[in-house]
């Protein structure tokens, strides 16, 4: 059976959400973060050499990396759902935002989070540059969610699942005020009304406050 190894408050929430959207059979194994370090516990790190979430197992397969895991599940179990093909007029938007989530937004939020822990001066040029990149990424998403219902267009896709974590749960690690991004707030309200999203979050991180505003 396909098993999602879910580390609490991590990118593996994307995979739980994906499986709920596709309504496919899957097993869910939850792991708690170390309360002192907030890192993955030893048994999670042992699943895959990279030692980070997400990780799935499917028979003998052990697979990590959010984008790869989502592509694999959509291709093997999705029956064409939640992904767009090259013939779709919104295909380029789908590909762009699917990769923007981790390639730009998540990467820069992660760098900002690490720099914040170094207690650098507020005018440190590296810190300022990374913060500016995060702001630009949020501005781009805000502009896109002003003109389109979902990131690829009118249709909810795996690109929205990829982006969801960075716009919500990641803000537990890097607080970000969405007051400057009203279209993102409206977009998060739309995706949070999806029953599969609510089921996924309750199964994966029961009781966690969802950072939707």
């Amino acid at each position: 059976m396909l098993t999602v190894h879910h580390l609490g408050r991590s990118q593996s929430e994307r995979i739980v959400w994906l499986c709920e959207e596709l309504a496919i059979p899957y097993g869910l194994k939850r792991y708690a973060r170390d309360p002192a370090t907030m890192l993955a516990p030893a048994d999670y790190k042992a699943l895959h050499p990279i030692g980070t979430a997400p990780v799935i197992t499917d028979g003998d397969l052990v697979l990590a990396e959010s984008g790869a895991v989502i592509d694999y599940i959509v291709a093997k179990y999705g029956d064409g759902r939640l992904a767009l093909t090259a013939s779709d007029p919104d295909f380029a938007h789908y590909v762009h935002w699917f990769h923007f989530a981790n390639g730009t937004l998540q990467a820069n939020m992660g760098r900002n989070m690490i720099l914040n822990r170094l207690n650098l001066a507020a005018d440190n040029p590296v810190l300022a540059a990374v913060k500016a990149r995060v702001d630009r990424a949020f501005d781009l998403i805000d502009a896109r969610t002003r003109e389109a219902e979902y990131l690829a267009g009118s249709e909810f896709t795996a690109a929205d699942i990829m982006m969801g974590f960075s716009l919500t749960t990641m803000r537990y690690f890097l607080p970000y005020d969405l007051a400057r991004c009203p279209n993102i707030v409206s977009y998060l309200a739309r995706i949070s009304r999806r029953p599969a999203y609510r089921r996924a979050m309750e199964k994966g991180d029961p009781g966690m406050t969802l950072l939707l505003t």
Side-chain angles (χ1 to χ4, degrees):
M1 175 182 281
L2 173 68
T3 299
V4 179
H5 298 268
H6 173 55
L7 176 65
R9 295 190 181 185
S10 81
Q11 295 184 56
S12 55
E13 76 177 38
R14 293 165 168 157
I15 315 307
V16 185
W17 184 11
L18 174 69
C19 291
E20 290 294 325
E21 289 283 354
L22 293 174
I24 60 176
Y26 73 101
L28 177 63
K29 186 172 181 181
R30 289 169 33 202
Y31 300 74
R33 290 180 178 272
D34 183 289
T37 66
M38 291 305 294
L39 299 176
D43 54 346
Y44 197 95
K45 292 178 180 179
L47 291 169
H48 189 277
I50 197 66
T52 60
V55 174
I56 63 165
T57 51
D58 193 15
D60 294 331
L61 174 72
V62 181
L63 186 63
E65 186 61 41
S66 292
V69 171
I70 288 181
D71 275 342
Y72 172 83
I73 292 175
V74 166
K76 185 170 182 180
Y77 298 106
D79 295 324
R81 293 171 292 164
L82 299 182
L84 302 184
T85 65
S87 62
D88 193 293
D90 287 324
F91 176 68
H93 289 301
Y94 169 74
V95 172
H96 170 78
W97 293 109
F98 184 95
H99 291 283
F100 187 92
N102 265 18
T104 296
L105 179 59
Q106 184 68 25
N108 283 302
M109 291 181 80
R111 292 186 190 103
N112 199 346
M113 178 187 71
I114 292 170
L115 289 172
N116 284 348
R117 294 177 179 176
L118 298 178
N119 296 316
L120 301 173
D123 60 352
N124 180 280
V126 175
L127 179 60
V130 172
K131 284 184 174 179
R133 288 188 177 189
V134 172
D135 285 342
R136 286 199 298 272
F138 272 89
D139 289 343
L140 283 171
I141 301 164
D142 195 62
R144 178 58 178 166
T145 51
R146 180 178 62 247
E147 66 186 16
E149 185 175 7
Y150 296 108
L151 293 173
S154 60
E155 183 178 345
F156 177 87
T157 68
D160 300 291
I161 293 175
M162 280 292 292
M163 193 71 77
F165 168 81
S166 301
L167 296 177
T168 57
T169 307
M170 180 60 187
R171 290 191 287 123
Y172 273 108
F173 303 96
L174 181 72
Y176 194 90
D177 186 0
L178 289 184
R180 60 186 296 277
C181 303
N183 301 299
I184 292 178
V185 174
S186 297
Y187 165 75
L188 292 178
R190 288 194 292 278
I191 66 171
S192 70
R193 288 192 291 267
R194 298 183 68 84
Y197 175 79
R198 291 288 179 173
R199 289 196 305 270
M201 299 310 296
E202 184 56 33
K203 289 180 180 181
D205 290 273
M208 181 180 75
T209 300
L210 304 180
L211 301 182
L212 300 169
T213 60

